[in-house]
Amino acid sequence: MSGELKPETIVFFENRLTPLSEARVGILTHALGFGTGVFEGIRGYWNERENQLFLMRPREHFERWKQNCGILRIEVPPTAAELSELTADLVRRNGYRGDVYIKPLAYKSSQRIGIHMDDQNAFAIVPMPAPVYLDSSQGLHAGVSSWRRIEDNAIPGRAKICGSYVNGVLASDEARHNGFDEAILLTEAGHVAEAASSNIFLVRHGKLITPAASENILEGITRASVMALAREELHLDVVERPVDRSELYVCDEIFFTGTMVEVAPVVRVDHRPVGSGEIGPVTAGLRHLYGQAAHGRLEAWRHWLMPVYERVPAAAGK
Ligand code: PMP
C-alpha cells in the first residue's frame, strides 16, 4: 500500500462530505495556533478471501476519542456507533479494497488570537490507504531519548492532543539523527513510559511486562488487544508496573504496539542486543496472532471487527 493521498478523496468535514482538497481551515484557527485538537488513528484490514474490509475496534477508538475530547472540553455529538457507521460509509464511498488508515480529528475551530477556549468545535474524519510507517520486519533498533515523556499534569499524554505530539516528534527526530529507528521515552521519575508513538512491552522471566497507565502513557488500544491475546491465547502472565531503564538491557524481548506499528519487534536498545538479538518467540507469536485477529481469521476475536462491505453469503464460509 503506497499511502498516497488523493485530493479527490471523500472526507467528512464541517458536517458534510467533501473532497480532501476542499477541507481547509483558516490561518487563525485556535487548534493551529495552540495545538487544541484531539485526533485518533484507526486501521482497517483487507481480507482477500472474504472480499471484505474490517475496521479494527472502531468503537473503542471513537469512545477513547470522545472521552479525550472531554479533557479539552470539545464535544463530538455523534455516538461511537454512529461515528463507526460514518467511517464505514466513507471507506465505501472511496471504494477502498486494501488496508486503510482513518484519521478522526476534533478541534477548537474559532478564528482568533486569544488563548482562552470557547465552545466553537469542529471535527473531521479522513480515510486513506494505509501508509507504510516503519518497516519492523527485521526488528528495530531503539534508543532511549534525552527528551522526557510529558507529565499528565502538564499536558495529559493519555489523550491524543495535537500539541502534545511535539514531545514524540522531538524524540523521534533525535532518535533518527542518532541512527536509531525509534525513540523510547522515560518519565521524569526515570521509568520507561513508551515509544514516540507506540506502547512498549518487555518479556522477562516468562512474563509480559508493560508500564502502567499511571506512567504517562497513551492507553493504547493495540496494547489492550495484545494483552488480551497474550492472556487468552498464550496463557501468559501480563504485568503492568514501573519499568526501569536498565531493565531494557537485561530483558529477553521487547516490542512496540500501536495502530500504525502493530506489533513491532525491537532487537537492539542503545546499541545493546535485546536478549539473543533476534526476534523472540513471544514477540513473533503475538505479532502473528494480532495479524490473524485483525484480518478476521480468528473466530474468537471477530467481535473486535466491523465489516465495511455488505457480506456476500456464498463467501462467508471461512
Ligand atoms: N502512544 C502514543 C504516543 C501513540 O501516539 C500511539 C498511537 N495511537 C500509541 C501509544 C498506541 O496507541 P494505539 O494502539 O491505540 O494506536
Side-chain angles (χ1 to χ4, degrees):
M1 232 347 113
S2 63
E4 68 190 292
L5 251 175
K6 299 203 173 111
E8 63 271 24
T9 303
I10 301 164
V11 308
F12 184 84
F13 177 71
E14 293 184 340
N15 288 320
R16 63 195 167 87
L17 300 175
T18 180
L20 178 63
S21 55
E22 289 170 27
R24 300 190 179 279
V25 297
I27 188 67
L28 288 182
T29 304
H30 195 274
L32 182 61
F34 304 113
T36 49
V38 179
F39 67 100
E40 259 304 324
I42 307 171
R43 244 187 203 264
Y45 290 88
W46 179 246
N47 181 319
E48 190 71 53
R49 218 163 127 183
E50 295 186 39
N51 211 20
Q52 182 60 273
L53 207 156
F54 291 113
L55 297 179
M56 178 67 171
R57 309 192 80 176
R59 286 200 190 196
E60 287 88 341
H61 279 279
F62 283 121
E63 291 290 1
R64 178 174 74 181
W65 191 42
K66 283 167 67 73
Q67 284 169 3
N68 289 338
C69 281
I71 294 177
L72 274 190
R73 293 199 295 101
I74 296 175
E75 201 203 339
V76 178
T79 64
E82 288 164 348
L83 291 162
S84 302
E85 285 299 340
L86 175 59
T87 302
D89 180 51
L90 274 176
V91 171
R92 279 192 296 269
R93 283 174 190 269
N94 283 289
Y96 291 132
R97 293 186 171 268
D99 293 355
V100 293
Y101 184 78
I102 293 113
K103 179 163 181 166
L105 170 66
Y107 55 99
K108 290 283 170 194
S109 57
S110 63
Q111 304 286 312
R112 56 181 177 72
I113 298 292
I115 190 173
H116 68 271
M117 296 207 293
D118 58 26
D119 291 328
Q120 275 191 52
N121 306 313
F123 75 93
I125 302 179
V126 180
M128 64 194 84
V132 177
Y133 183 64
L134 196 58
D135 179 10
S136 65
S137 52
Q138 304 306 308
L140 303 173
H141 187 183
V144 172
S145 181
S146 68
W147 297 97
R148 293 297 168 108
R149 176 72 179 152
I150 39 169
E151 288 287 316
D152 185 61
N153 56 7
I155 305 177
R158 68 162 32 77
K160 291 175 78 73
I161 295 174
C162 296
S164 76
Y165 273 71
V166 171
N167 185 225
V169 168
L170 288 171
S172 66
D173 180 62
E174 177 194 55
R176 271 150 227 217
H177 277 95
N178 287 342
F180 300 114
D181 299 308
E182 186 56 299
I184 295 172
L185 289 97
L186 307 180
T187 62
E188 289 294 348
H191 295 142
V192 173
E194 58 179 7
S197 61
S198 51
N199 294 113
I200 188 167
F201 284 85
L202 284 66
V203 178
R204 194 167 183 219
H205 306 314
K207 290 192 169 119
L208 197 57
I209 300 158
T210 193
S214 52
E215 298 289 320
N216 296 323
I217 67 167
L218 183 129
E219 297 168 287
I221 290 168
T222 319
R223 175 181 179 271
S225 304
V226 163
M227 284 163 71
L229 291 170
R231 287 186 173 124
E232 306 287 322
E233 302 283 341
L234 300 183
H235 308 293
L236 286 176
D237 274 348
V238 183
V239 188
E240 295 176 76
R241 64 156 171 80
V243 174
D244 289 330
R245 173 184 191 158
S246 56
E247 216 171 351
L248 298 170
Y249 303 155
V250 298
C251 65
D252 302 315
E253 300 182 34
I254 298 177
F255 60 87
F256 297 145
T257 62
T259 298
M260 275 288 204
V261 299
E262 302 167 299
V263 176
V266 177
V267 293
R268 288 176 70 76
V269 170
D270 288 346
H271 310 285
R272 296 156 173 86
V274 176
S276 66
E278 305 284 323
I279 298 173
V282 175
T283 307
L286 285 169
R287 183 152 73 144
H288 176 73
L289 278 169
Y290 184 79
Q292 293 291 97
H295 284 87
R297 298 188 195 114
L298 298 181
E299 201 50 51
W301 305 98
R302 290 276 285 211
H303 62 277
W304 281 346
L305 308 177
M306 175 178 182
V308 162
Y309 294 105
E310 208 177 310
R311 287 176 203 271
V312 182
K318 220 207 96 194

